[in-house]
Amino acid sequence: MVRTGPNRTGPDITEHLAQASEQAQSGWEQTITDMKRMAADRRDGGYETVAVPAGDTTPKPPASGDTDEWGFSHIIPGNYAAEFTEAYERADFDETGVYQAQIDGLAFLVTECLDHDEQIAVFIAGSYKLQFAAPLVRTAMDRDRMYTHVQKLDGTHLGTIEHDDPSAFFPDPEQIYAYEM
């Protein structure tokens, strides 16, 4: 049993880490379930749907890499790439819905991108640590827009979607700033 400090009482750090891991896993499972339910609702409404669980989501501010690209960067599994690309190439997304929950410093989100004319709905599920989001939040709020970037693990860029309302992603920016490192 690992304890911090001399004669510390209360739950040990191992139990705390195990509980946090269980909460994160539960949060992710609930996010995927919610995404699938939302996609089914849109499908029942006549939309073609694509639901993609990102393998990794990074809140990326400008100049955080080799490019000035910023927004949420989602790395998706290769088996979803063709389906995403096919819908992306036919769509002109004109509406965005963002659904999210936070648990112990993690944000779980589903971004719904809609093209009402073509009746295409793309859902992307992701999660990220709030402590890394503050620079992106500042940029999005200052520039009054947001981007969703989708790529494969090998770096192949599959598409970028622009959103005109960053507050849908960050309804309470001050809360995210509180997690800043």
Side-chain angles (χ1 to χ4, degrees):
M1 185 181 307
V2 178
R3 293 200 185 274
T4 58
N7 300 321
R8 179 160 186 251
T9 60
D12 69 43
I13 191 72
T14 305
E15 290 172 15
H16 174 73
L17 291 174
Q19 181 182 13
S21 178
E22 287 173 22
Q23 288 175 331
Q25 182 64 31
S26 175
W28 181 243
E29 289 169 0
Q30 186 62 52
T31 301
I32 298 302
T33 298
D34 291 347
M35 177 184 66
K36 288 178 180 178
R37 188 174 305 124
M38 288 184 272
D41 288 346
R42 285 288 181 194
R43 207 170 20 259
D44 291 347
Y47 280 73
E48 173 187 340
T49 63
V50 176
V52 181
D56 183 63
T57 297
T58 302
K60 190 175 172 188
S64 63
D66 294 337
T67 70
D68 226 10
E69 176 181 282
W70 58 274
F72 279 119
S73 178
H74 298 282
I75 296 175
I76 67 169
N79 57 323
Y80 289 93
E83 185 179 18
F84 171 83
T85 302
E86 193 272 327
Y88 174 80
E89 289 175 351
R90 292 188 302 114
D92 183 16
F93 297 110
D94 53 9
E95 186 179 335
T96 301
V98 181
Y99 313 93
Q100 56 189 314
Q102 297 176 6
I103 301 172
D104 288 338
L106 290 174
F108 299 92
L109 79 149
V110 175
T111 306
E112 176 186 32
C113 304
L114 297 166
D115 179 331
H116 292 294
D117 292 337
E118 294 295 321
Q119 290 197 299
I120 296 172
V122 172
F123 297 85
I124 304 169
S127 69
Y128 63 93
K129 291 183 179 184
L130 292 167
Q131 71 188 41
F132 300 120
L136 172 58
V137 175
R138 283 188 187 88
T139 298
M141 302 312 274
D142 288 348
R143 298 182 184 183
D144 201 30
R145 65 181 184 262
M146 181 64 180
Y147 294 95
T148 295
H149 305 283
V150 179
Q151 64 184 34
K152 294 188 334 184
L153 183 59
D154 69 3
T156 302
H157 184 264
L158 301 175
T160 295
I161 302 166
E162 183 175 353
H163 314 282
D164 61 3
D165 184 11
S167 68
F169 291 88
F170 312 114
D172 185 3
E174 294 301 321
Q175 180 189 23
I176 294 174
Y177 300 151
Y179 283 95
E180 194 166 18
M181 295 175 54

